[in-house]
Amino acid sequence: MAAIGQATEAVGTTPALARARQRAAYVPDLLVEAHRVANTVIAGWHGRRKRGIGENFWQFRPYVEGESLSRIDWRRSARDDNTYVRDREWEAAHTVWLWCDSSASMLFKSSLAPVSKQSRAMVILLAVAEILARSGERIASPGVLEPVAARNAAERLAAAIELHRDKAHFPDVSQINRHSDLVLISDFLDPAEAVIERLAPIAKRGIRGHILEICDPVEEVFPYRGRTEFIDPETGGKLTAGRAETLNEEYRRTYLARREGIAESLRRLGWNFITHHTDQPASTALVALHTHLSGVPGGGVREVAS
């Protein structure tokens, strides 16, 4: 029987960025019916536009007695008998921290999927960065890129990742401030208890979390039959099954219970959990992340983006 899965080479950021731009271009069309799109185009990802300190003009409004005369726009006021104040927009951009797992297990790709888990994760990560940059938000990556607000932020993130090929299973998030958003993309194959032990302290600091689980289809359906050797990509450990099909039911039960355990624990923490399968379009995961990052009600809900 032919091999169902194999480890792939680490993906480069340049082709990943090109694919990410293609995926990012699909998102506005997919969200054309969403009422938040117009606001995000004008005022940033979260549409939090209001009067305040900023450089951009927002509106003219009638002068209110007691306000500083320095705020009056005399040119506009000269057009009629009213006195107008020139309001500026409060630019309320904040920081979204993005992290993608690059450990050995993410290099897995089965014959049922067109790309490896790492390749898909990188495309989604850079596509999110691209859309955030278009909206004027600051993006950052823990241990990789300091917060930056620039139109080419996705390119800068791609270059930074190339220079910081970190194989760690989890990033150092000590520098992330309260009320920031944190997007973590990984296969999260560790036991549910270990995953929550890492994430719970972060949630308790007031950081909003969005977890994207990347899953190859064979990891869920377990299609193996006959004598099969399984190799742990992290440790190199091996397990040989004489009749792999006899493990199917128990494996799937354990695998899905781990996922449900993580999703339920994150729901109680107020975080979002999304599952994305690599045999499905990356745009499905982008739409799910966009929904949660935009602050649409329903946080903490598990969602399958496939």
Side-chain angles (χ1 to χ4, degrees):
M1 182 177 179
I4 294 177
Q6 62 182 352
T8 65
E9 294 294 328
V11 64
T13 56
T14 300
L17 180 58
R19 293 195 299 275
R21 284 189 178 281
Q22 289 182 322
R23 297 298 183 185
Y26 301 153
V27 173
D29 291 335
L30 294 171
L31 299 174
V32 69
E33 297 181 3
H35 70 279
R36 302 184 65 89
V37 171
N39 289 334
T40 58
V41 169
I42 296 172
W45 185 270
H46 295 275
R48 297 176 301 166
R49 191 183 192 203
K50 50 186 161 180
R51 187 171 71 248
I53 300 173
E55 297 181 357
N56 298 324
F57 167 74
W58 180 23
Q59 66 176 2
F60 290 117
R61 63 173 177 81
Y63 170 78
V64 177
E65 186 176 355
E67 289 189 278
S68 172
L69 296 178
S70 63
R71 301 190 59 194
I72 295 176
D73 189 287
W74 297 107
R75 179 176 298 180
R76 175 63 185 86
S77 299
R79 297 179 189 174
D80 53 42
D81 297 330
N82 297 313
T83 303
Y84 293 93
V85 170
R86 184 184 183 92
D87 275 338
R88 292 180 296 177
E89 177 187 338
W90 176 38
E91 297 173 351
H94 75 302
T95 302
V96 180
W97 294 81
L98 308 172
W99 178 80
C100 173
D101 186 358
S102 59
S103 59
S105 68
M106 293 291 288
L107 296 175
F108 181 77
K109 172 190 171 301
S110 76
S111 59
L112 303 184
V115 295
S116 69
K117 292 187 290 183
Q118 189 209 42
S119 177
R120 178 56 55 81
M122 186 72 72
V123 168
I124 294 172
L125 180 87
L126 295 174
V128 171
E130 176 75 9
I131 299 171
L132 285 168
R134 291 180 189 176
S135 301
E137 298 288 2
R138 290 191 299 269
I139 68 167
S141 184
V144 176
L145 180 69
E146 292 296 315
V148 58
R151 182 61 185 82
N152 67 339
E155 287 89 343
R156 294 171 68 170
L157 177 58
I161 291 174
E162 194 67 39
L163 294 174
H164 296 81
R165 281 290 179 175
D166 187 6
K167 302 300 182 182
H169 283 280
F170 200 75
D172 178 6
V173 297
S174 58
Q175 67 194 107
I176 301 179
N177 296 326
R178 180 180 177 84
H179 300 312
S180 293
D181 282 271
L182 174 62
V183 176
L184 300 174
I185 306 176
S186 175
D187 51 17
F188 296 101
L189 288 178
D190 290 331
E193 297 79 8
V195 173
I196 298 304
E197 185 177 352
R198 291 194 189 108
L199 299 181
I202 306 172
K204 292 176 181 178
R205 287 169 47 197
I207 296 171
R208 294 181 291 263
H210 313 278
I211 303 302
L212 179 61
E213 177 198 35
I214 302 293
C215 168
D216 189 287
V218 306
E219 294 176 325
E220 195 171 283
V221 302
F222 198 82
Y224 303 99
R225 300 181 62 84
R227 184 178 177 81
T228 306
E229 182 181 71
F230 300 95
I231 303 175
D232 186 332
E234 308 290 347
T235 66
K238 298 181 180 180
L239 172 66
T240 301
R243 297 177 58 197
E245 63 271 22
T246 63
L247 303 176
N248 181 282
E249 184 176 344
E250 181 178 359
Y251 169 86
R252 295 189 72 239
R253 182 171 57 250
T254 302
Y255 182 87
L256 295 176
R258 174 200 56 82
R259 175 184 290 165
E260 291 298 333
I262 295 173
E264 175 61 22
S265 296
L266 290 176
R267 185 193 66 78
R268 291 196 296 266
L269 292 171
W271 280 25
N272 301 303
F273 182 85
I274 304 165
T275 296
H276 174 71
H277 301 81
T278 53
D279 61 339
Q280 299 296 321
S283 56
T284 59
L286 286 177
V287 171
L289 280 173
H290 179 279
T291 300
H292 294 308
L293 283 167
S294 297
V296 174
V301 177
R302 184 213 160 181
E303 181 173 347
V304 178
S306 61

